[in-house]
C-alpha cells in the first residue's frame, strides 16, 4: 500500500469523509480530549502552540474510518491522529510523497514520524526549502 497523497478529484476520503458529520464530530472529540489532557494545543510539525481553528488533523492510521450503508464512521483511535498547521501538514505530505522509501515501504505512522523529524530538523536549521 502506498502512503502517497492522491490528488485525483475522485478520492472518497478527501471528497466525502473529510466533509462528513462523522469526521467533524470525531475532530471535535479529538480536540476536547487534547485540551483535557494537555491544555495547550501544539503543532506536531513545528511544535508551535496553536488554536483548534488553526490546526488540521493528520491520520497516522485509517483504522476506524469506515463507510457502512453509505454513511461514514469515524472511530479512529486518539493516537491515530495528530494536529498540524496546514503548512506543516502539507509539507509532511510532500516529504512523504517525494521519498520512495517513505511513500511505499513504510507504515503510514512510521512514514509520518520520519517526515516530522525531517521537517523539525530543517526548521531548526532555518532551512527555507523544507520539502526539497
Amino acid at each position: 500500500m502506498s502512503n502517497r497523497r492522491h490528488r485525483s478529484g475522485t478520492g472518497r476520503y478527501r471528497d466525502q469523509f473529510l466533509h462528513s458529520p462523522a469526521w467533524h464530530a470525531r475532530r471535535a472529540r479529538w480536540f476536547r480530549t487534547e485540551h483535557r489532557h494537555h491544555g495547550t494545543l501544539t503543532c506536531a510539525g513545528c511544535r508551535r502552540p496553536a488554536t483548534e481553528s488553526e490546526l488540521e488533523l493528520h491520520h497516522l492510521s485509517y483504522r476506524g474510518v469506515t463507510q457502512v450503508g453509505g454513511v461514514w464512521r469515524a472511530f479512529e483511535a486518539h493516537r491515530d491522529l495528530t494536529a498540524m498547521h496546514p503548512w506543516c501538514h502539507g509539507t509532511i505530505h510532500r516529504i512523504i510523497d517525494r521519498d520512495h522509501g517513505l511513500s511505499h515501504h513504510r507504515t503510514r505512522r512510521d512514514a509520518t514520524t520520519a517526515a516530522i523529524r525531517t521537517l523539525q530538523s530543517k526548521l531548526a536549521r532555518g532551512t527555507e526549502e523544507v520539502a526539497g
Side-chain angles (χ1 to χ4, degrees):
M1 175 185 275
S2 173
N3 288 318
R4 289 176 91 62
R5 186 179 237 188
H6 298 285
R7 302 212 188 299
S8 69
T10 61
R12 290 182 347 176
Y13 168 77
R14 290 179 71 192
D15 293 344
Q16 295 175 14
F17 177 69
L18 292 179
H19 300 287
S20 72
W23 171 242
H24 289 281
R26 179 64 189 104
R27 184 182 191 283
R29 281 193 318 273
W30 190 92
F31 280 111
R32 278 194 307 272
T33 300
E34 279 298 297
H35 278 295
R36 191 175 26 219
H37 292 305
H38 304 291
T40 303
L41 296 170
T42 304
C43 173
C46 66
R47 298 180 180 155
R48 292 189 180 132
T51 65
E52 178 179 340
S53 64
E54 294 172 323
L55 296 169
E56 298 177 344
L57 290 181
H58 175 78
H59 279 84
L60 298 168
S61 170
Y62 291 108
R63 282 178 294 200
V65 176
T66 59
Q67 194 175 31
V68 178
V71 177
W72 285 100
R73 307 291 172 124
F75 295 113
E76 302 94 327
H78 188 81
R79 68 182 200 91
D80 287 342
L81 298 167
T82 192
M84 295 184 183
H85 288 110
W87 183 87
C88 293
H89 190 191
T91 301
I92 293 302
H93 279 284
R94 286 189 298 278
I95 291 168
I96 292 169
D97 289 351
R98 291 177 182 174
D99 185 308
H100 185 76
L102 294 180
S103 64
H104 290 91
H105 301 293
R106 298 262 187 110
T107 66
R108 184 166 176 83
R109 182 177 307 281
D110 290 346
T112 298
T113 300
I116 287 172
R117 278 195 309 264
T118 298
L119 172 62
Q120 290 171 344
S121 173
K122 290 185 178 196
L123 287 172
R125 290 192 314 258
T127 305
E128 286 296 318
E129 295 181 27
V130 174

